[in-house]
Amino acid sequence: KAGVTQTPRYLIKTRGQQVTLSCSPISGHRSVSWYQQTPGQGLQFLFEYFSETQRNKGNFPGRFSGRQFSNSRSEMNVSTLELGDSALYLCASSFLAGGRSTDTQYFGPGTRLTVL
Amino acid sequence: EDQVTQSPEALRLQEGESSSLNCSYTVSGLRGLFWYRQDPGKGPEFLFTLYSAGEEKEKERLKATLTKKESFLHITAPKPEDSATYLCAVQSRGSGNTPLVFGKGTRLSVIA
């Protein structure tokens, strides 16, 4: 079974630009979560989508947004990029079987975003 | 607010020298505690989920344990390929797939 895939793997942008990152979850997984990882702050939660609906959102400005499609694939968008947005952006998917409240989140390889 | 603190920040071991990594946590109702391994330039790789105090899980040279306030990842007779950053995360009870709250990780180096 293929794992979580993320594209692109590397991106270089300049301040003020916008960027879109893509995530394809493990086949059959319906929940997709996004995290930002930086050396100073570690892994921080951005948002979670399930059945095309955002159910949880972390403490990030409105420049960070996302969406999920009917096939569970997800995208996140960052507008008006700032230097501090340079980070590894990780996507994680989980199955969320009916009736279970806990399900393991499996991570993709990440997209390394550099803002110049 | 849920919090996770991992110690030590970095650990250097000789091959075969067993040790333990610590994860202290505060959470408003634990749904699960997770251990991940992360290699440089890669995403975290799932290792274990623990749900309640007293639970233990093992995989090869790794054993994870859980109490009401902390979790330990015991590494027995480590090998150089065990070198990685080990991340601990907690998930609290709530509606939907509540977010994981991560610690900063322990960077483990195993020297041959």
Side-chain angles (χ1 to χ4, degrees), chain A residues 30-46:
Chain A
R30 299 185 294 167
S31 170
V32 173
S33 298
W34 288 90
Y35 294 82
Q36 180 196 66
Q37 186 175 31
T38 59
Q41 299 298 318
L43 272 141
Q44 293 186 292
F45 172 74
L46 282 157

Side-chain angles (χ1 to χ4, degrees), chain A residues 9 31 33 35 37 40-43 45 48 55-56 88 90 94 96 100-110, chain B residues 31-32 34 36 38 41-46 48-49 51 85 87 91 94-104:
Chain A
R9 292 294 312 279
S31 170
S33 298
Y35 294 82
Q37 186 175 31
Q41 299 298 318
L43 272 141
F45 172 74
E48 185 245 352
R55 298 195 303 180
N56 288 289
L88 181 66
L90 292 160
S94 53
L96 289 187
R100 289 183 59 178
S101 59
T102 304
D103 225 322
T104 300
Q105 294 186 30
Y106 295 92
F107 284 82
Chain B
R31 180 183 277 184
F34 301 81
Y36 288 85
Q38 186 174 27
K42 296 188 176 181
E45 174 190 347
F46 170 73
F48 303 109
T49 308
Y51 296 100
T85 296
L87 297 166
Q91 186 177 41
S95 61
N97 199 16
T98 54
L100 298 179
V101 176
F102 282 86
K104 296 288 180 69

Side-chain angles (χ1 to χ4, degrees), chain A residues 39-40, chain B residues 6-13 19-22 35-40 73 75 82-88 103-111:
Chain B
Q6 291 188 246
S7 61
E9 289 186 18
L11 181 63
R12 187 181 173 96
L13 299 174
S19 188
S20 296
L21 313 182
N22 177 263
W35 282 98
Y36 288 85
R37 166 194 171 127
Q38 186 174 27
D39 293 299
L73 185 65
I75 303 177
D82 294 323
S83 297
T85 296
Y86 290 84
L87 297 166
C88 172
K104 296 288 180 69
T106 292
R107 192 170 60 255
L108 174 66
S109 301
V110 182
I111 312 303

